[in-house]
Amino acid sequence: ASFEGRKIMIYLFYTTIAGHNYELAQLISDQFTPAPTRLSVDQPIPAMTSTDLLIVTPATTGAGEPTADGRAFYQSLAATKAFRANYWVAGIGDAGFGTDFARAVSFFDAALSTLGGHRIHAPLRLDYELTPENSKLTQATLAKIKRRLSHA
């Protein structure tokens, strides 16, 4: 997917356990025309430039870790040794887990920065499910991201 006729590629990677992050990934995808290119652990990581955008919506499992697919994706991305893209991380969790609430979001935010990526917006951690309020917050955040991309 390119953005507003420019050579900005938008990529989307998500993991899900109960389907909530899938719903979030779908909402995010629907905000772009054409839709972002979906990435999976079963395919090579494409070369991303400093103008591209990677959106990650990771699920959290166990004591706040990314899922196995999330860890595998991170390891593949780290192995490229050339990650310089813009990124944004958003995820849905359960605040009832306290400090482990959506901790995979925090993991990916820090990890992508360490790899050399540029955070285009603060991470978004949503509680429990994609409610109408959470949908509006996600759409408002994406509108800000789109404005930043269009001025880049």
Side-chain angles (χ1 to χ4, degrees):
S2 58
F3 179 71
E4 294 186 351
R6 298 175 64 205
K7 284 291 186 183
I8 297 174
M9 298 300 293
I10 302 172
Y11 300 95
L12 176 63
F13 174 78
Y14 74 92
T15 60
T16 192
I17 296 170
H20 299 301
N21 279 310
Y22 168 77
E23 292 171 357
L24 178 60
Q26 191 59 49
L27 173 70
I28 291 168
S29 185
D30 290 346
Q31 305 307 303
F32 293 96
T33 303
T37 300
R38 297 233 177 157
L39 302 178
S40 78
V41 296
D42 300 328
Q43 64 191 61
I45 301 291
M48 294 183 213
T49 69
S50 62
T51 60
D52 294 338
L53 173 63
L54 171 63
I55 301 171
V56 179
T57 61
T60 300
T61 189
E65 301 93 20
T67 62
D69 280 352
R71 288 190 304 273
F73 177 75
Y74 168 73
Q75 291 166 351
S76 294
L77 193 60
T80 67
K81 299 186 185 336
F83 182 71
R84 299 291 179 264
N86 296 302
Y87 71 88
W88 179 55
V89 185
I92 296 177
D94 184 342
F97 284 100
T99 58
D100 292 336
F101 164 58
R103 206 161 90 189
V105 171
S106 301
F107 166 81
F108 269 98
D109 182 56
L112 294 173
S113 177
T114 299
L115 290 177
H118 175 259
R119 180 204 284 171
I120 197 161
H121 196 281
L124 181 62
R125 298 182 330 155
L126 303 170
D127 187 23
Y128 192 63
E129 60 188 29
L130 196 58
T131 63
E133 296 82 19
N134 283 341
S135 293
K136 287 178 186 174
L137 180 58
T138 302
Q139 290 168 327
T141 302
L142 285 168
K144 292 176 187 176
I145 291 170
K146 286 178 175 183
R147 282 194 297 277
R148 287 187 183 141
L149 287 174
S150 66
H151 290 83

